[in-house]
C-alpha cells in the first residue's frame, strides 16, 4: 500500500500541462489518417488540391484494398469446405439409414460436391481478379 501511495504522489509531481499537448497531438495524428496526408502537404492558398475518392487518377494503386477484397472473397472457400463436410456427413447418415440406396446417395453426393468445387474455383478466380486488379 505504501508503494502505491508513493507512485501516486510521484505521478502528481509530473507537470500535467507539458504532457497533455503532446498526447493530444499524437491522438489526433493517429485517429485521423485521412487528414494526416493533407496536413503534411502544406499547399499554397491559390493551389488546387488533387481530386480524391472517385475523381482520383486511375494510375494510383491501392494495394491494401485489393488484398483486403481478396481476403474477404477467400472466406467463401471456407464455406465451400464446410459444405463438402456436411455433404459427406449426410451421405454417411443416409447410408446408415438405408444401405440399399448406397450407389444413388453416392452419385448425388458427387454431383453436389462438383457444384461446391465449381463454386470454390469461381471464388478463387474472383479473389485473384480482386488481388491483381487496379
Amino acid at each position: 500500500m505504501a508503494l502505491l501511495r508513493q507512485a501516486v504522489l510521484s505521478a502528481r509531481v509530473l507537470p500535467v500541462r507539458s504532457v497533455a499537448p503532446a498526447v493530444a497531438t499524437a491522438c489526433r495524428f493517429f485517429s485521423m489518417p485521412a487528414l494526416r496526408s493533407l496536413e503534411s502537404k502544406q499547399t499554397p492558398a491559390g493551389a488546387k488540391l488533387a481530386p480524391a475518392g472517385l475523381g482520383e487518377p486511375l494510375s494510383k494503386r491501392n494495394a491494401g484494398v485489393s488484398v483486403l477484397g481478396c481476403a474477404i472473397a477467400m472466406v467463401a472457400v471456407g464455406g465451400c469446405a464446410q459444405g463438402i463436410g456436411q455433404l459427406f456427413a449426410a451421405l454417411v447418415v443416409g447410408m446408415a439409414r438405408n444401405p440399399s440406396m448406397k450407389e444413388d446417395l453416392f452419385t448425388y453426393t458427387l454431383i453436389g460436391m462438383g457444384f461446391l468445387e465449381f463454386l470454390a474455383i469461381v471464388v478463387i478466380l474472383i479473389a485473384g481478379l480482386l488481388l491483381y486488379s487496379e
Side-chain angles (χ1 to χ4, degrees):
M1 190 63 163
L3 184 61
L4 181 62
R5 184 178 300 146
Q6 182 64 29
V8 170
L9 290 175
S10 64
R12 287 183 185 171
V13 173
L14 291 174
V16 177
R17 295 189 190 274
S18 65
V19 176
V23 171
T25 304
C27 289
R28 258 186 283 131
F29 182 75
F30 288 119
S31 66
M32 292 188 257
L35 296 178
R36 184 174 10 151
S37 63
L38 291 177
E39 290 173 358
S40 64
K41 298 177 188 174
Q42 296 294 328
T43 57
K48 283 184 163 181
L49 290 175
L54 294 175
E56 190 175 4
L58 293 176
S59 63
K60 183 178 180 183
R61 176 159 165 72
N62 296 319
V65 176
S66 63
V67 170
L68 186 63
C70 175
I72 291 171
M74 290 300 288
V75 171
V77 175
C80 292
Q82 182 182 5
I84 290 173
Q86 287 181 350
L87 193 65
F88 278 99
L91 172 68
V92 170
V93 169
M95 282 181 176
R97 288 179 183 236
N98 193 355
S100 64
M101 288 190 64
K102 178 179 175 181
E103 291 83 16
D104 292 337
L105 290 174
F106 191 69
T107 303
Y108 297 145
T109 302
L110 289 181
I111 291 171
M113 193 178 107
F115 281 125
L116 285 170
E117 288 292 327
F118 174 72
L119 180 65
I121 290 170
V122 168
V123 165
I124 290 171
L125 289 176
I126 290 174
L129 183 78
L130 287 172
L131 182 63
Y132 293 111
S133 65
E134 280 290 320

